[in-house]
PDB file of all heavy atoms in Angstrom:
ATOM      1  N   GLU N 641      91.342  54.272 -48.121  1.00 96.00           N
ATOM      2  CA  GLU N 641      92.566  53.623 -48.671  1.00 96.00           C
ATOM      3  C   GLU N 641      93.794  54.212 -48.019  1.00 96.00           C
ATOM      4  O   GLU N 641      94.766  53.436 -47.715  1.00 96.00           O
ATOM      5  CB  GLU N 641      92.566  53.797 -50.187  1.00 96.00           C
ATOM      6  CG  GLU N 641      91.550  52.918 -50.888  1.00 96.00           C
ATOM      7  CD  GLU N 641      91.589  53.035 -52.388  1.00 96.00           C
ATOM      8  OE1 GLU N 641      91.839  54.186 -52.882  1.00 96.00           O
ATOM      9  OE2 GLU N 641      91.305  52.074 -53.117  1.00 96.00           O
ATOM     10  N   GLU N 642      93.789  55.480 -47.793  1.00 96.00           N
ATOM     11  CA  GLU N 642      94.929  56.102 -47.109  1.00 96.00           C
ATOM     12  C   GLU N 642      95.028  55.654 -45.616  1.00 96.00           C
ATOM     13  O   GLU N 642      96.139  55.319 -45.120  1.00 96.00           O
ATOM     14  CB  GLU N 642      94.829  57.647 -47.169  1.00 96.00           C
ATOM     15  CG  GLU N 642      95.957  58.406 -46.631  1.00 96.00           C
ATOM     16  CD  GLU N 642      97.316  58.108 -47.377  1.00 96.00           C
ATOM     17  OE1 GLU N 642      97.252  57.845 -48.615  1.00 96.00           O
ATOM     18  OE2 GLU N 642      98.336  58.149 -46.694  1.00 96.00           O
ATOM     19  N   MET N 643      93.851  55.594 -44.979  1.00 96.00           N
ATOM     20  CA  MET N 643      93.865  55.076 -43.592  1.00 96.00           C
ATOM     21  C   MET N 643      94.261  53.674 -43.432  1.00 96.00           C
ATOM     22  O   MET N 643      95.003  53.248 -42.488  1.00 96.00           O
ATOM     23  CB  MET N 643      92.437  55.228 -43.027  1.00 96.00           C
ATOM     24  CG  MET N 643      92.014  56.637 -42.663  1.00 96.00           C
ATOM     25  SD  MET N 643      90.312  56.661 -42.132  1.00 96.00           S
ATOM     26  CE  MET N 643      90.410  55.571 -40.709  1.00 96.00           C
ATOM     27  N   MET N 644      93.968  52.820 -44.421  1.00 95.00           N
ATOM     28  CA  MET N 644      94.219  51.402 -44.340  1.00 95.00           C
ATOM     29  C   MET N 644      95.712  51.164 -44.385  1.00 95.00           C
ATOM     30  O   MET N 644      96.224  50.129 -43.824  1.00 95.00           O
ATOM     31  CB  MET N 644      93.574  50.651 -45.475  1.00 95.00           C
ATOM     32  CG  MET N 644      93.589  49.084 -45.286  1.00 95.00           C
ATOM     33  SD  MET N 644      92.570  48.277 -46.523  1.00 95.00           S
ATOM     34  CE  MET N 644      93.022  46.556 -46.087  1.00 95.00           C
ATOM     35  N   LYS N 645      96.513  52.061 -44.966  1.00 94.00           N
ATOM     36  CA  LYS N 645      97.976  51.847 -45.031  1.00 94.00           C
ATOM     37  C   LYS N 645      98.575  51.699 -43.643  1.00 94.00           C
ATOM     38  O   LYS N 645      99.574  51.020 -43.439  1.00 94.00           O
ATOM     39  CB  LYS N 645      98.611  53.030 -45.755  1.00 94.00           C
ATOM     40  CG  LYS N 645      98.272  53.105 -47.276  1.00 94.00           C
ATOM     41  CD  LYS N 645      98.918  54.355 -47.867  1.00 94.00           C
ATOM     42  CE  LYS N 645      98.511  54.526 -49.334  1.00 94.00           C
ATOM     43  NZ  LYS N 645      98.987  55.821 -49.906  1.00 94.00           N
ATOM     44  N   ASN N 646      97.989  52.427 -42.624  1.00 93.00           N
ATOM     45  CA  ASN N 646      98.585  52.406 -41.289  1.00 93.00           C
ATOM     46  C   ASN N 646      97.587  51.771 -40.279  1.00 93.00           C
ATOM     47  O   ASN N 646      97.813  51.897 -39.048  1.00 93.00           O
ATOM     48  CB  ASN N 646      98.902  53.869 -40.868  1.00 93.00           C
ATOM     49  CG  ASN N 646      99.934  54.452 -41.774  1.00 93.00           C
ATOM     50  OD1 ASN N 646     101.024  53.851 -41.985  1.00 93.00           O
ATOM     51  ND2 ASN N 646      99.606  55.624 -42.299  1.00 93.00           N
ATOM     52  N   ALA N 647      96.491  51.196 -40.751  1.00 94.00           N
ATOM     53  CA  ALA N 647      95.516  50.588 -39.837  1.00 94.00           C
ATOM     54  C   ALA N 647      96.085  49.353 -39.121  1.00 94.00           C
ATOM     55  O   ALA N 647      96.775  48.576 -39.758  1.00 94.00           O
ATOM     56  CB  ALA N 647      94.232  50.229 -40.590  1.00 94.00           C
ATOM     57  N   PRO N 648      95.851  49.240 -37.832  1.00 94.00           N
ATOM     58  CA  PRO N 648      96.310  48.004 -37.142  1.00 94.00           C
ATOM     59  C   PRO N 648      95.635  46.753 -37.686  1.00 94.00           C
ATOM     60  O   PRO N 648      94.563  46.756 -38.307  1.00 94.00           O
ATOM     61  CB  PRO N 648      95.859  48.262 -35.649  1.00 94.00           C
ATOM     62  CG  PRO N 648      94.819  49.280 -35.697  1.00 94.00           C
ATOM     63  CD  PRO N 648      95.052  50.131 -36.928  1.00 94.00           C
ATOM     64  N   GLU N 649      96.307  45.629 -37.443  1.00 93.00           N
ATOM     65  CA  GLU N 649      95.848  44.337 -37.940  1.00 93.00           C
ATOM     66  C   GLU N 649      94.396  44.053 -37.491  1.00 93.00           C
ATOM     67  O   GLU N 649      93.624  43.458 -38.215  1.00 93.00           O
ATOM     68  CB  GLU N 649      96.720  43.260 -37.491  1.00 93.00           C
ATOM     69  CG  GLU N 649      96.412  41.882 -37.979  1.00 93.00           C
ATOM     70  CD  GLU N 649      97.354  40.764 -37.578  1.00 93.00           C
ATOM     71  OE1 GLU N 649      98.419  41.139 -36.905  1.00 93.00           O
ATOM     72  OE2 GLU N 649      97.062  39.592 -37.712  1.00 93.00           O
ATOM     73  N   GLU N 650      94.052  44.489 -36.299  1.00 92.00           N
ATOM     74  CA  GLU N 650      92.761  44.150 -35.700  1.00 92.00           C
ATOM     75  C   GLU N 650      91.582  44.734 -36.544  1.00 92.00           C
ATOM     76  O   GLU N 650      90.447  44.157 -36.480  1.00 92.00           O
ATOM     77  CB  GLU N 650      92.655  44.748 -34.319  1.00 92.00           C
ATOM     78  CG  GLU N 650      93.436  44.014 -33.246  1.00 92.00           C
ATOM     79  CD  GLU N 650      94.861  44.489 -33.207  1.00 92.00           C
ATOM     80  OE1 GLU N 650      95.333  45.236 -34.092  1.00 92.00           O
ATOM     81  OE2 GLU N 650      95.556  44.100 -32.200  1.00 92.00           O
ATOM     82  N   ILE N 651      91.791  45.696 -37.383  1.00 93.00           N
ATOM     83  CA  ILE N 651      90.696  46.281 -38.136  1.00 93.00           C
ATOM     84  C   ILE N 651      90.948  46.253 -39.646  1.00 93.00           C
ATOM     85  O   ILE N 651      90.251  46.932 -40.409  1.00 93.00           O
ATOM     86  CB  ILE N 651      90.334  47.717 -37.660  1.00 93.00           C
ATOM     87  CG1 ILE N 651      91.570  48.644 -37.835  1.00 93.00           C
ATOM     88  CG2 ILE N 651      89.871  47.712 -36.255  1.00 93.00           C
ATOM     89  CD1 ILE N 651      91.228  50.146 -37.584  1.00 93.00           C
ATOM     90  N   GLN N 652      91.915  45.501 -40.080  1.00 93.00           N
ATOM     91  CA  GLN N 652      92.243  45.440 -41.556  1.00 93.00           C
ATOM     92  C   GLN N 652      91.050  44.836 -42.285  1.00 93.00           C
ATOM     93  O   GLN N 652      90.737  45.309 -43.388  1.00 93.00           O
ATOM     94  CB  GLN N 652      93.497  44.568 -41.736  1.00 93.00           C
ATOM     95  CG  GLN N 652      94.804  45.228 -41.416  1.00 93.00           C
ATOM     96  CD  GLN N 652      95.237  46.222 -42.498  1.00 93.00           C
ATOM     97  OE1 GLN N 652      94.872  46.101 -43.649  1.00 93.00           O
ATOM     98  NE2 GLN N 652      95.911  47.258 -42.113  1.00 93.00           N
ATOM     99  N   GLN N 653      90.414  43.809 -41.759  1.00 90.00           N
ATOM    100  CA  GLN N 653      89.237  43.193 -42.488  1.00 90.00           C
ATOM    101  C   GLN N 653      88.072  44.149 -42.652  1.00 90.00           C
ATOM    102  O   GLN N 653      87.522  44.250 -43.694  1.00 90.00           O
ATOM    103  CB  GLN N 653      88.777  41.911 -41.766  1.00 90.00           C
ATOM    104  CG  GLN N 653      87.630  41.106 -42.458  1.00 90.00           C
ATOM    105  CD  GLN N 653      88.144  40.474 -43.786  1.00 90.00           C
ATOM    106  OE1 GLN N 653      88.922  39.629 -43.752  1.00 90.00           O
ATOM    107  NE2 GLN N 653      87.591  40.973 -44.892  1.00 90.00           N
ATOM    108  N   GLN N 654      87.796  44.894 -41.589  1.00 90.00           N
ATOM    109  CA  GLN N 654      86.705  45.869 -41.570  1.00 90.00           C
ATOM    110  C   GLN N 654      87.009  46.941 -42.704  1.00 90.00           C
ATOM    111  O   GLN N 654      86.147  47.318 -43.443  1.00 90.00           O
ATOM    112  CB  GLN N 654      86.555  46.553 -40.235  1.00 90.00           C
ATOM    113  CG  GLN N 654      85.967  45.651 -39.177  1.00 90.00           C
ATOM    114  CD  GLN N 654      87.069  44.892 -38.369  1.00 90.00           C
ATOM    115  OE1 GLN N 654      88.086  44.513 -38.985  1.00 90.00           O
ATOM    116  NE2 GLN N 654      86.871  44.687 -37.117  1.00 90.00           N
ATOM    117  N   MET N 655      88.261  47.380 -42.691  1.00 92.00           N
ATOM    118  CA  MET N 655      88.614  48.417 -43.699  1.00 92.00           C
ATOM    119  C   MET N 655      88.536  47.864 -45.122  1.00 92.00           C
ATOM    120  O   MET N 655      87.992  48.545 -45.974  1.00 92.00           O
ATOM    121  CB  MET N 655      90.103  48.909 -43.414  1.00 92.00           C
ATOM    122  CG  MET N 655      90.310  49.528 -42.090  1.00 92.00           C
ATOM    123  SD  MET N 655      89.466  51.177 -41.916  1.00 92.00           S
ATOM    124  CE  MET N 655      90.450  52.128 -43.010  1.00 92.00           C
TER     125      MET N 655
END
Side-chain angles (χ1 to χ4, degrees):
E641 287 179 326
E642 185 62 31
M643 286 176 59
M644 191 171 175
K645 292 176 184 176
N646 299 308
E649 184 181 348
E650 287 85 349
I651 59 171
Q652 284 283 332
Q653 183 68 66
Q654 292 90 324
M655 299 292 290

